[in-house]
Amino acid sequence: MTVACTRRPAATRWGFGLVEMLLAMTLGLGFCGVVIQALVGEGRHAQQFTRALRERGNQQRALALIRSDLVRALSVADDPVKGTSRCGLAGRTAVLRLHTPEGTIDYSVGAAPSGIWQGRVLGRCGPAYGLHGQVNPGSVFQSRVVLDRLAAEATPWKGCAALLGRPAAPAGGLHPHDLAGSSRLPFSACLDRESEVVGLRLEQSFPGGAGRSEQRLSMEAAAGAG
C-alpha cells in the first residue's frame, strides 16, 4: 500500500515586522515635522503681514494728523529744541514745533509716559480735536501719544532732500534743515526754509521672534505750512 505525502503550502505572512514599523513611524514623524514647520512659518508670515497692514494704517493716520496741524500753522520753528512746551515733554526730544492760531503745537519723540505703550513714542502737545475732526479752539492743550513702537535704533534718514525735491548737499548732508538733528530719530522732520515745506519720516520696529530679524516699517510724507 502506497501512502501519498501531501506537502502543505507555507503559511501566508500578513502585517509588518518590527523594523518596517519603526521605519514607517520615523518617516511619518519626519513628514509631520515638515508640515508643522511649514504651518508655523505660514502663521508667522500671516501675523507679520497683518501687523504690517495695521501699523501702516496707524502711521498714515499719524502723518495725516501732523499734516492737518501743518496746514493751519503760521510758521515752523527753525530750532524746536529752544523754548518750552505748554504740556511738558517729560524728557522727550522736541522734533517739530508749529506756531498755530491756537498756540504752539509740539511733536516729540522719546520714552513712553506709561506702561500701556510699547517702545519709544511720538507725542503731541496741542489742542484737542472735536467730534467733527476740527480743532476745538477753546480746549486745553493736552499731551497725547500719537504712535508707539517707534524704533529703538532708527535707521539714519537720508531721503529728506529727495522727498522735498531738493538736490543733496555737496557735503553729503541734508540740503533742507534737519530739525533737532532728527534724521537719526525714529520720527524725523526736515524743513525747506524757502518753501516752508516739511518732510516727515516715521519708523517702527517689531521683534521677529525665533531667531528672525526684526520687522521694520517706515513711511514718509511732506506738507507745507499755512
Side-chain angles (χ1 to χ4, degrees), residues 65 67-75 98-103 105 124 127 129 134-135 224-226:
L65 174 63
R67 285 198 298 264
S68 66
D69 284 336
L70 268 167
V71 169
R72 297 182 301 99
L74 304 175
S75 63
L98 308 176
H99 302 297
T100 70
E102 296 80 25
I105 297 177
R124 175 185 182 269
Y129 277 79
Q134 301 294 327
V135 170

Side-chain angles (χ1 to χ4, degrees), residues 45-114:
H45 180 73
Q47 182 182 17
Q48 288 184 345
F49 180 74
T50 303
R51 181 169 59 190
L53 287 179
R54 181 181 66 250
E55 295 303 332
R56 287 196 183 279
N58 292 335
Q59 289 181 359
Q60 288 177 346
R61 285 188 288 272
L63 291 174
L65 174 63
I66 300 173
R67 285 198 298 264
S68 66
D69 284 336
L70 268 167
V71 169
R72 297 182 301 99
L74 304 175
S75 63
V76 179
D78 191 69
D79 189 356
V81 178
K82 292 183 177 179
T84 58
S85 172
R86 295 180 63 172
C87 307
L89 299 179
R92 295 187 296 271
T93 301
V95 173
L96 184 63
R97 177 161 291 169
L98 308 176
H99 302 297
T100 70
E102 296 80 25
T104 301
I105 297 177
D106 289 306
Y107 283 92
S108 59
V109 59
S114 66

Side-chain angles (χ1 to χ4, degrees), residues 24-40:
M25 290 175 62
T26 301
L27 293 175
L29 290 174
F31 177 75
C32 291
V34 171
V35 172
I36 291 174
Q37 287 182 355
L39 291 175
V40 171

Side-chain angles (χ1 to χ4, degrees), residues 58 61-62 65-66 87-90 92 106-126 142-150 202 204:
N58 292 335
R61 285 188 288 272
L65 174 63
I66 300 173
C87 307
L89 299 179
R92 295 187 296 271
D106 289 306
Y107 283 92
S108 59
V109 59
S114 66
I116 64 173
W117 308 104
Q118 300 187 40
R120 301 165 86 180
V121 300
L122 170 64
R124 175 185 182 269
C125 173
Q142 301 174 342
S143 180
R144 292 289 184 267
V145 171
V146 178
L147 188 69
D148 67 344
R149 294 179 178 271
L150 297 185
L202 283 171
Q204 294 176 286

